[in-house]
C-alpha cells in the first residue's frame, strides 16, 4: 500500500522538531508532502524554509494558517500569509476564520466579519494563485477560534465567494455531523475540497485543544469518511494533523511518523 | 422583575445538598420550580421525593433523565424513568439519547437505535402522560453521551415520532449553531419546545463535562436567544442547569441560588 498521498502536518511533531528537522525526517520515512505552520516558518525564516522544502522535493499540501478575521490587523496579516504560502508553493492556505470578537457575544456579527474578511483578501490570493481553504472548526471552538462550525457553513461561504475558495475538511472537526455525507458530496460537486485532514476523537477528551488522537485510538470511522471523500472526487493528499500534549508530542518523532504511516494505511481499508 | 418562571435544575447544587435540602432552599429563595435528577430521587426514595416536592408545592419543570438508548437495558430503564416522572408530576422527561454503542464507530447505527428506542418507549410515555423532551447535546458529546447533536436533528426525530415528543433546548448545547434561530422558530411552529435550559459557555472551558458557566460569565447571548424562544411562543419555565466542578459546586448553595436569580433576571433584558 502506497503512501504517495500521505502528508504530515508539521504541528504533529512540533514539540520534537523544527521545520528543517521535521522535513528531513519525513523524507527519511518516505513521506512526500508536508504542511508547515507559520510559526515554524518564521522561526527558520521564510527564505531558508523555502530552500529546505524545495531541496527536499516535498509537496506542500497546505500552509497553516490564515484567518482569524475577528482580530485586529487580520487583513494585512492574511495578505502576508498568502505571500508566504505562494513562496512555499503551498497547494492552499488553510483558514481558521476566528471566534467571537473580543468582549463580544454576537455570533452574527462575527460571521459577517469573517465573510467580509474573506472577500477582502481574496483578490490578493487569486493574484498569487493561492487557493483559500476555509476549515470548519468543531463547535466547541465557536467562542475563541472559529464561528464557522460546520461543513455546510464553510461551503456556503466558499460558494458565495466563488473561484479560489474552498474547504479543508478535518475529520476531528466534522465527524459528528449528521449532514456530513451530504455536505461532502456537495463539496465534491462544487469542486471545493482543497484539503483533507485526519485526526481521531478520543473518549474521553481531556483538553479541548490539545488532546487529539492518532487514527484508530478514538471513535471516528475513517474508512467510511474516506469513501465519501473519494466518492466526491477528491484525489489530493490526506494530511495527518494531531495536537497531542499528553501523548504524541511526548514521544520520539520517528515513532510518531512510523505510527502515522501505519495508521494512515489502516484508514484506506 | 418576577421569578415565577425560573426553575432550578437540581444538578446545579448537587454537591451541596440532597433533594430535600435543595427543594427547601429553593422555597426559601422564592423559587417556584425544580428539575430533580434520578440519582437524587433514588437516594431519598421515590415516595419520599414525591412527598417533599408536593409538600413544598413546587412545580417540576422536568425530570433528568432518560435516554441512553445505545446502552443495554435502555428500554426497561426508560419505562421506569417515565413512571418516576409521572409520580413526581414532571412536565417532561428529559432525554439524553446516548452516544456510540460500546466499541462501535457507527454513528448511523447509533442514531437508528436512538430512533427505535424512542419509538419503543413512547406508548408507555403517552399512557402515563409524560411528554418526552429530546435534548440535543453539544457535538463534543457525540462519542459518549448523545449522537443527537443539533436542534434540527432532535426536531426531525420529534416530528417523525409525533404526539408526546418534543425537545429540551439548552443554550449550552446549541448556542453555536448558525441554524439556531430558524430551528427554534420551527420548534415553535410544531409546538415542540417542552423545556428551556440556560447555562453559559466559558472561554476557556477546562473540562468537557463539568466546566459550565453561570449566565453572564461566558459568551452566550442570552437575551437574543430568549427573544427567539419567546417569539416561538414558549411560555414555560426557564431552567438553570450548571455542572461546575471548579466553581459553583464549590460555593455555598445559598450563594449559588442567589446568583442564579440575579443572573436569570439579567437574561430577560
Amino acid at each position: 500500500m502506497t503512501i504517495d498521498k500521505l502528508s504530515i502536518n508539521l504541528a504533529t511533531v512540533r514539540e520534537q522538531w523544527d521545520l528543517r528537522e521535521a522535513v528531513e525526517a519525513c523524507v527519511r520515512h518516505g513521506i512526500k508532502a508536508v504542511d508547515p505552520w507559520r510559526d515554524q516558518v518564521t522561526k527558520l525564516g521564510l527564505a531558508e524554509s523555502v530552500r529546505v522544502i524545495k531541496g527536499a522535493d516535498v509537496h506542500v499540501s497546505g500552509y497553516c494558517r490564515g484567518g482569524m478575521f475577528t482580530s485586529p490587523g487580520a487583513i494585512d496579516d492574511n495578505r502576508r500569509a498568502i505571500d508566504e504560502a505562494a513562496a512555499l508553493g503551498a497547494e492552499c492556505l488553510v483558514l481558521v476564520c476566528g471566534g467571537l470578537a473580543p468582549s463580544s457575544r454576537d455570533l452574527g456579527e462575527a460571521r459577517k466579519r469573517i465573510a467580509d474578511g474573506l472577500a477582502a483578501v481574496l483578490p490578493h490570493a487569486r493574484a498569487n494563485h493561492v487557493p483559500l481553504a476555509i476549515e470548519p472548526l468543531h463547535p466547541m471552538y465557536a467562542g475563541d477560534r472559529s464561528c464557522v462550525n460546520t461543513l455546510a457553513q464553510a461551503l456556503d461561504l466558499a460558494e458565495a465567494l466563488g473561484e479560489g475558495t474552498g474547504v479543508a475538511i478535518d475529520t476531528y472537526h466534522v465527524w459528528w455531523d449528521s449532514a456530513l455525507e451530504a455536505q461532502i458530496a456537495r463539496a465534491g460537486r462544487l469542486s471545493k475540497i482543497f484539503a483533507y485532514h485526519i485526526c481521531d476523537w478520543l473518549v474521553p477528551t481531556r483538553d479541548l485543544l490539545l488532546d487529539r488522537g492518532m487514527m484508530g485510538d478514538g471513535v471516528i470511522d475513517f474508512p467510511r469518511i474516506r469513501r465519501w471523500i473519494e466518492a466526491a472526487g477528491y484525489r489530493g493528499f490526506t494530511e495527518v494533523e494531531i495536537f497531542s500534549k499528553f501523548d504524541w508530542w511526548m514521544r520520539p518523532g520517528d515513532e510518531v511518523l512510523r505510527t502515522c504511516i501505519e495508521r494512515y494505511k489502516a484508514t484506506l481499508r
Side-chain angles (χ1 to χ4, degrees), chain A:
Chain A
M1 213 177 302
T2 171
I3 59 165
D4 284 356
K5 288 293 181 183
L6 168 64
S7 173
I8 298 293
N9 184 295
L10 298 189
T12 308
V13 288
R14 64 171 306 122
E15 297 300 314
Q16 294 92 342
W17 290 319
D18 68 14
L19 187 146
R20 185 197 312 276
E21 293 164 335
V23 168
E24 286 171 1
C26 284
V27 169
R28 201 158 66 231
H29 286 267
I31 292 160
K32 308 275 195 292
V34 298
D35 179 339
W37 278 63
R38 289 187 79 191
D39 65 309
Q40 295 172 315
V41 167
T42 301
K43 196 175 155 207
L44 198 62
L46 178 62
E48 183 60 17
S49 298
V50 169
R51 269 192 296 276
V52 166
I53 282 169
K54 306 275 185 208
D57 196 27
V58 288
H59 294 271
V60 180
S61 58
Y63 185 45
C64 282
R65 56 181 163 72
M68 294 294 170
F69 293 109
T70 51
S71 299
I75 304 304
D76 286 348
D77 193 55
N78 275 280
R79 289 196 180 115
R80 285 191 296 273
I82 288 164
D83 294 339
E84 293 161 23
L88 292 161
E91 296 194 357
C92 63
L93 176 65
V94 177
L95 300 179
V96 168
C97 289
L100 289 167
S103 58
S104 165
R105 294 189 172 94
D106 193 337
L107 278 173
E109 173 63 23
R111 286 168 175 151
K112 186 174 181 314
R113 283 176 69 171
I114 289 167
D116 291 348
L118 281 161
V121 302
L122 183 54
H124 191 67
R126 284 178 179 155
N128 286 279
H129 308 290
V130 175
L132 298 179
I134 302 165
E135 181 172 27
L137 249 59
H138 195 285
M140 69 185 175
Y141 302 119
D144 49 354
R145 283 192 163 68
S146 181
C147 300
V148 179
N149 305 108
T150 61
L151 183 51
Q153 250 188 298
L155 283 170
D156 288 348
L157 281 166
E159 206 172 354
L161 290 159
E163 185 67 26
T165 64
V167 296
I169 300 174
D170 186 321
T171 55
Y172 188 79
H173 296 300
V174 301
W175 72 280
W176 58 272
D177 187 351
S178 60
L180 186 58
E181 181 177 9
Q183 292 298 321
I184 288 175
R186 175 186 169 205
R189 284 193 303 275
L190 296 168
S191 301
K192 288 207 177 281
I193 308 179
F194 289 0
Y196 176 52
H197 297 187
I198 56 176
C199 171
D200 212 342
W201 180 276
L202 300 176
V203 174
T205 291
R206 292 161 290 175
D207 185 277
L208 267 73
L209 186 61
L210 303 178
D211 192 24
R212 304 188 185 182
M214 182 66 69
M215 299 74 70
D217 290 345
V219 298
I220 297 180
D221 187 344
F222 288 100
R224 185 184 308 247
I225 297 178
R226 180 171 194 90
R227 284 195 295 278
W228 296 342
I229 291 279
E230 286 181 354
Y234 182 71
R235 298 289 178 267
F237 288 100
T238 296
E239 182 178 317
V240 177
E241 182 185 38
I242 302 172
F243 307 164
S244 171
K245 72 173 176 181
F246 302 115
D247 190 351
W248 300 98
W249 282 353
M250 312 277 283
R251 304 200 197 197
D254 285 302
E255 179 188 344
V256 176
L257 292 187
R258 269 198 309 275
T259 311
C260 286
I261 290 169
E262 284 168 24
R263 303 291 183 85
Y264 163 76
K265 288 178 178 173
T267 69
L268 303 177
R269 273 172 210 144

